[in-house]
């Protein structure tokens, strides 16, 4: 049963939830809107897409994996021993105000980090304790293309609860059992038919405002076929300056680096977001690099999202169409144009197939 | 909260012995500090481990001892960059971290009853040594074994103190080669692929395994094809820059194949199905 939350009660509702969960929500930070712990000093901003999605809540930009300490061996003072400690930390966390595309980003993370041979225990620990309360989009932006990649302004993938803005408040719907647990609060009343009808209408308008979706079923095959066509990739990547903004802001990019930091006798092994658009990403000690130029690296970024990941995860495309890479790219490289060009590119085999 | 083994947490190990193999390769024999872990440790020939020098980082090395000889785990390390150079300064008794075993292994079960050709170049002999020792310790399971091992100079050959033991195994032909004539050198002189053609092992019921620098692998493959070997009977091990070693950090993929999990051992038949990105 859908519930209704009055706009004026949103703050109180989040405060109430704050007693059980660490509440993370989009807040103002300078010109940007970013996901931070909601406090009285911070201003909630849910009227526009956040500059950066909430992936850092479950996959921090930088986190300690293990800590280590060099100590004298008590039995043999000549020798040093290393004490190593793991540091998996997680607490009940509520992510509020993710957009449906952001929430679907967690679906991709679930695939990459939990549906595989060895699971990422750091991500899993946080994911299990997290509840995602998303906000459906009744307004879209020109860079939005969630509908191209299997999403929608009211998509529920990755969410536990979905809110839809209506006149005077929000329609509140549980998506999962986990989300069901939030439906009991006294600030929520049953939503009447008129409100439900209004939500439906607004969401339909949002859907209609998006550009028509091309059919991407052929993409894995098409991208494999284009793999050795470096002319194509050089053309597509010509503008790129390898800055990596696209990867850091992407809700599905999950590649990371592991590095050690040490001060005196103690230190940390740290995992941090990495960037496949950088030359160093695959550079080997010998100097050999399997992806020596930006053309190879863009090919892998697009290939991973539209070809390899779908191939490994039941056709699920690893781009959620949030458009952040388009908005943030300093040279206006548009992933929609790259995949559309890849889709439309006639392959040499086809050109010669009539004779 | 799910309690699971932390795949990022290294086990502590102690260096028991160090062998200076060549001017830039040292072999480390290590044991896990936890006796129970050491006793229960099992791996397959060809699997790798991540060695940690805390404060510097981790790097990938093949476990080049054999699962049939579990007194220690052996890693041979060529000095290349930060981690490897720091490893070279370490002493017997020093502690390092080990995450192992990782990755896949040589198809030693499928190879049973077949003749075997091993072609190694330089440090590329490390993964081949584990397989060779395994076959020597299970000698009756395999047919004739030909080992072609080459390096730039006689001083660049690793494991030379073991050649006698290898030769002593039944029906094992060890062919050594170096690039140029050298004083006192009584074995072959010439590039590995040429020596392979000269030896001309029959491809019938035979599996070939090669590892070495990319350029050597390329020409060895051509030589094997010339000798009539099929792609599915040729194996190699790949190197890619690695970090996590468990299929998560996204660094080592060739298309959908993650070298750290699906490799490092590949047949040439399998490699042909992957995008061309070595
Ligand atoms: C499956 C596999 C098995 C290997 N087995 C051996 C072996 O038995 N003996 C041996 O001497 N070397 C082996 N290597 C190569 C060895 O891992 C690199 O030489 C080593 O990582 C270089 O690390 P570094 O810190 O000294 O160099 P740096 O250049 O300082 O490297 C920094 C980081 O880059 C990564 N890196 C750089 N080059 C490579 C590379 N070629 N492969 C993988 N990661 C790299 C490492 O993760 C390292 O932490 C193997 C590599 C792989 C992938
Ligand atoms: S944001 Fe644009 S310029 Fe920067 S790496 Fe990505 S595609 Fe290249
Ligand atoms: S690739 Fe671009 S549009 Fe797709 S999910 Fe990542 S940032 Fe959003
Ligand atoms: S080394 Fe991290 S995915 Fe292979």
């Amino acid at each position: 049963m859908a519930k209704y939350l009055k706009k004026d009660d949103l703050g109180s509702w989040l405060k109430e939830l704050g007693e059980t969960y660490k509440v993370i929500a989009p807040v103002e930070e300078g010109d940007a809107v970013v996901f931070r712990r909601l406090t009285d000093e911070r201003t909630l901003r849910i009227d526009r897409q956040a500059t950066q999605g909430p992936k850092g809540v479950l996959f921090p930009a930088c986190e300690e994996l293990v800590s280590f300490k060099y100590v004298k061996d008590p039995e043999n003072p000549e020798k040093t021993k290393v004490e190593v400690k793991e540091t998996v930390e997680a607490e009940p966390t509520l992510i509020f105000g993710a957009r449906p595309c952001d929430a679907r980003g967690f679906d991709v993370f679930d695939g990459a980090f939990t549906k595989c041979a060895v699971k990422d225990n750091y991500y899993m620990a946080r994911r299990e304790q997290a509840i995602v309360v998303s906000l459906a989009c009744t307004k879209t932006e020109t860079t939005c293309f969630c509908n191209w990649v299997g999403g929608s302004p009211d998509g529920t993938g990755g969410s536990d609860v979905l809110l839809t803005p209506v006149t005077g408040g929000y329609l509140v719907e549980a998506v999962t059992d986990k989300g069901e647990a939030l439906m009991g609060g006294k600030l929520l009343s049953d939503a009447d038919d008129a409100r439900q009808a209004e939500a439906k209408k607004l969401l339909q308008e949002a859907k209609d405002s998006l550009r028509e979706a091309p059919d991407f079923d052929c993409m894995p095959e098409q991208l494999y076929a284009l793999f050795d066509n470096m002319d194509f990739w050089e053309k597509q990547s010509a503008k790129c300056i390898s800055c990596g903004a696209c990867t850091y802001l992407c809700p599905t990019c999950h590649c990371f680096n592991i590095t050690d930091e040490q001060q005196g006798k103690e230190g940390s092994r740290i995992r941090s977001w990495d960037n496949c658009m950088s030359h160093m990403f695959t550079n080997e000690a010998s100097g050999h690099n399997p992806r020596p130029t930006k053309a190879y690296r863009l090919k892998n970024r697009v290939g991973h999202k539209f070809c390899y990941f779908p191939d490994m995860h039941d056709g699920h495309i690893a781009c959620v169409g949030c458009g952040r890479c388009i908005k943030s790219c300093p040279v206006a490289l548009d992933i929609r144009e790259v995949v559309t060009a890849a889709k439309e590119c006639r392959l040499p085999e086809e050109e010669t197939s009539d004779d | 909260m799910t309690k699971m083994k932390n795949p990022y947490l290294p086990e502590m190990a102690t260096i028991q012995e160090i062998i200076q193999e060549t001017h830039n390769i040292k072999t480390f024999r290590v044991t896990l500090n936890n006796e129970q872990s050491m006793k229960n440790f099992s791996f397959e020939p060809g699997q790798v481990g991540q060695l940690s020098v805390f404060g510097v980082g981790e790097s990938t090395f093949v476990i080049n001892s054999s699962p049939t000889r579990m007194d220690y785990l052996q890693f041979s390390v060529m000095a290349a960059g930060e981690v490897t150079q720091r490893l070279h300064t370490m002493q017997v008794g020093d502690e390092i971290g080990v995450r192992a075993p990782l990755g896949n292994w040589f198809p030693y079960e499928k190879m049973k009853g077949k003749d075997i050709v091993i072609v190694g170049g330089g440090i590329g002999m490390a993964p081949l040594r584990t397989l060779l020792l395994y076959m020597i310790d299970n000698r009756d399971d395999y047919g004739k074994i030909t080992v072609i091992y080459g390096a730039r100079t006689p001083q660049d050959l690793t494991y030379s103190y073991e050649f006698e033991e290898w030769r002593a195994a039944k029906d094992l032909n060890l062919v050594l080669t170096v690039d140029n004539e050298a004083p006192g050198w009584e074995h072959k002189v010439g590039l590995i692929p040429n020596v392979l053609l000269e030896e001309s092992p029959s491809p019938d019921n035979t599996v070939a395994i090669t590892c070495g620098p990319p350029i050597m692998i390329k020409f060895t493959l051509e030589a094997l094809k010339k000798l009539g070997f099929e792609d599915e009977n040729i194996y190699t091990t790949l190197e890619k820059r690695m970090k996590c070693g468990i299929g998560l950090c996204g660094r080592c993929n060739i298309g959908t194949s993650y070298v750290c999990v699906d490799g490092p051992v590949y047949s040439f038949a399998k490699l042909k199905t992957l995008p061309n990105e070595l």
Side-chain angles (χ1 to χ4, degrees):
Chain A
M1 173 75 199
K3 300 278 177 187
Y4 175 70
L5 173 70
K6 279 195 288 198
K7 197 168 191 165
D8 292 343
D9 286 341
L10 176 63
S12 318
W13 190 55
L14 291 175
K15 234 190 192 119
E16 197 179 287
L17 293 169
E19 286 162 21
T20 317
Y21 302 96
K22 178 166 106 181
V23 175
I24 312 276
V27 299
E28 259 175 28
E29 208 169 271
D31 291 339
V33 174
V34 291
F35 281 80
R36 296 278 185 265
R37 183 165 200 162
L38 196 58
T39 59
D40 290 340
E41 294 75 48
R42 291 189 166 134
T43 315
L44 185 69
R45 279 296 296 274
I46 49 173
D47 55 323
R48 58 174 244 211
Q49 183 190 52
T51 317
Q52 185 167 44
K55 81 169 170 188
V57 182
L58 303 187
F59 178 60
C62 192
E63 71 175 303
E64 184 180 79
L65 293 176
V66 294
S67 65
F68 56 86
K69 192 173 176 183
Y70 283 91
V71 292
K72 285 231 175 306
D73 183 349
E75 283 159 35
N76 184 355
E78 300 277 278
K79 288 261 170 263
T80 350
K81 296 193 73 65
V82 194
E83 282 173 2
V84 176
K85 273 211 296 278
E86 57 182 318
T87 44
V88 186
E89 274 166 17
E91 58 185 306
T93 303
L94 185 142
I95 299 171
F96 177 79
R99 296 293 173 166
C101 55
D102 295 335
R104 281 187 84 225
F106 292 133
D107 267 354
V108 173
F109 268 82
D110 290 347
F113 283 174
T114 73
K115 291 169 190 149
C116 44
V118 181
K119 300 175 186 7
D120 191 279
N121 52 325
Y122 293 80
Y123 173 79
M124 275 179 88
R126 291 194 200 96
R127 182 68 165 123
E128 276 169 18
Q129 300 226 46
I131 182 158
V132 181
V133 179
S134 300
L135 189 63
C137 301
T138 48
K139 267 195 317 216
T140 62
E141 298 181 34
T142 55
T143 44
C144 293
F145 63 105
C146 53
N147 59 325
W148 292 25
V149 288
S152 149
D154 63 351
T156 53
S159 301
D160 297 297
V161 173
L162 187 70
L163 265 60
T164 309
V166 289
T167 313
Y170 305 91
L171 200 70
V172 186
E173 289 164 290
V175 176
T176 62
D177 290 345
K178 226 181 196 178
E180 208 57 66
L182 299 195
M183 294 299 109
K186 55 187 179 312
L187 295 170
L188 301 179
S189 57
D190 288 348
D192 59 26
D193 290 349
R195 289 218 163 85
Q196 299 201 43
E198 185 195 357
K200 207 166 160 193
K201 177 168 160 285
L202 290 171
L203 290 168
Q204 190 55 49
E205 282 167 11
K207 287 177 203 174
D208 293 344
S209 72
L210 293 168
R211 276 204 254 162
E212 195 191 331
D215 182 358
F216 281 149
D217 284 354
C218 61
M219 278 318 271
E221 214 179 316
Q222 187 75 7
L223 285 168
Y224 281 128
L226 276 174
F227 197 89
D228 292 322
N229 188 339
M230 288 315 292
D231 284 348
F232 175 84
W233 293 107
E234 262 149 39
K235 213 164 111 201
Q236 296 303 326
S237 64
K239 292 193 285 188
C240 174
I241 54 170
S242 302
C243 67
C246 51
T247 60
Y248 294 118
L249 291 173
C250 177
T252 70
C253 274
H254 51 268
C255 290
F256 58 84
N257 198 357
I258 302 176
T259 48
D260 282 11
E261 278 176 15
Q262 190 178 344
Q263 274 189 331
K265 299 268 168 228
E266 290 174 46
S268 308
R269 177 155 295 164
I270 288 176
R271 130 152 100 194
S272 44
W273 294 353
D274 208 348
N275 159 29
C276 64
M277 301 297 270
S278 133
H279 175 78
M280 287 312 294
F281 191 69
T282 48
N283 198 40
E284 292 166 18
S286 63
H288 174 69
N289 194 336
R291 295 181 202 136
T293 67
K294 60 190 181 179
Y296 289 85
R297 301 192 283 270
L298 181 70
K299 175 172 75 176
N300 185 65
R301 179 159 196 274
V302 173
H304 188 205
K305 295 195 186 309
F306 287 85
C307 177
Y308 316 144
F309 192 91
D311 243 9
M312 296 167 78
H313 299 275
D314 301 326
H316 202 118
I317 293 173
C319 161
V320 294
C322 71
R324 286 194 181 90
C325 59
I326 305 166
K327 283 201 246 182
S328 62
C329 179
V331 296
L333 207 149
D334 188 330
I335 193 165
R336 292 172 298 189
E337 286 167 17
V338 180
V339 284
T340 310
K343 180 176 149 75
E344 283 163 8
C345 186
R346 282 192 70 203
L347 302 170
E349 286 86 0
E350 289 173 28
E351 280 160 21
T352 54
S353 64
D354 345 289
D355 50 54
Chain B
M1 197 166 96
T2 324
K3 197 66 203 157
M4 53 196 274
K5 191 170 172 283
N6 186 339
Y8 296 99
L9 186 69
E11 284 226 38
M12 292 314 299
T14 302
I15 299 174
Q16 302 297 351
E17 194 181 339
I18 301 175
I19 301 165
Q20 181 87 42
E21 299 277 2
T22 72
H23 75 283
N24 64 352
I25 301 172
K26 280 187 179 181
T27 287
F28 297 86
R29 294 180 167 169
V30 311
T31 51
L32 301 178
N33 291 358
N34 183 310
E35 272 174 41
Q36 207 55 36
S37 300
M38 188 66 206
K39 228 176 87 198
N40 295 338
F41 191 87
S42 69
F43 72 100
E44 305 279 1
Q47 285 193 293
V48 303
Q50 291 274 7
L51 298 189
S52 284
V53 183
F54 292 96
V56 184
E58 279 187 306
S59 274
T60 320
F61 306 95
V62 68
I63 309 172
N64 72 64
S65 44
S66 167
T68 48
R69 307 177 186 192
M70 285 301 291
D71 298 337
Y72 50 78
L73 303 175
Q74 174 165 316
F75 301 90
S76 298
V77 177
M78 187 166 90
E82 286 185 44
V83 175
T84 48
Q85 276 170 18
R86 183 64 76 87
L87 279 166
H88 271 235
T89 67
M90 298 193 89
Q91 308 290 324
V92 169
D94 283 351
E95 290 191 334
I96 56 172
V98 177
R99 286 196 292 134
L102 303 169
N104 74 346
W105 50 88
F106 293 110
Y108 62 93
E109 290 288 349
K110 232 174 82 188
M111 287 158 51
K112 282 185 178 163
K114 307 210 167 165
D115 288 347
I116 308 294
V117 176
I118 282 180
V119 188
I123 184 74
M125 199 57 209
L128 302 174
R129 174 184 186 262
T130 174
L131 181 65
L132 185 60
L133 293 184
Y134 180 87
M135 292 191 296
I136 289 176
D137 291 344
N138 293 278
R139 191 64 197 91
D140 294 338
D141 289 345
Y142 301 91
K144 198 168 117 200
I145 301 176
T146 306
V147 181
I148 297 170
Y149 177 29
R152 242 163 21 85
T153 73
Q155 289 72 39
D156 289 312
L157 289 165
T158 48
Y159 317 122
S160 44
Y161 46 90
E162 243 174 46
F163 292 166
E164 278 320 305
E165 184 201 332
W166 298 358
R167 281 209 184 87
K170 193 178 70 190
D171 217 2
L172 191 152
N173 180 20
L174 174 65
V175 183
L176 300 172
T177 183
V178 294
D179 288 1
N180 299 301
E181 297 280 357
W185 181 250
E186 292 163 358
H187 306 277
K188 303 258 176 198
V189 175
L191 297 177
I192 294 164
N194 298 339
V195 174
L196 170 63
L197 286 173
E198 226 176 277
E199 288 296 314
S200 181
S202 157
D204 296 338
N205 194 36
T206 304
V207 173
I209 302 119
T210 179
C211 189
I215 186 81
M216 177 218 121
I217 295 190
K218 182 166 174 266
F219 288 110
T220 299
L221 177 64
E222 281 175 20
L224 287 167
K225 298 300 291 177
K226 221 180 262 176
L227 293 171
F229 281 81
E230 300 287 344
D231 290 337
E232 48 279 8
N233 292 326
I234 305 173
Y235 289 84
T236 190
T237 77
L238 292 186
E239 257 187 42
K240 284 265 167 189
R241 183 168 179 152
M242 290 183 182
K243 277 291 167 185
C244 70
I246 49 179
L248 299 173
C249 77
R251 191 171 308 265
C252 67
N253 71 306
I254 308 172
T256 56
S257 192
Y258 284 66
V259 176
C260 65
V261 176
D262 307 316
V265 178
Y266 289 86
S267 71
F268 273 96
K270 172 75 191 168
L271 279 184
K272 277 197 169 161
T273 68
L274 298 178
N276 173 26
E277 194 178 57
L278 300 180

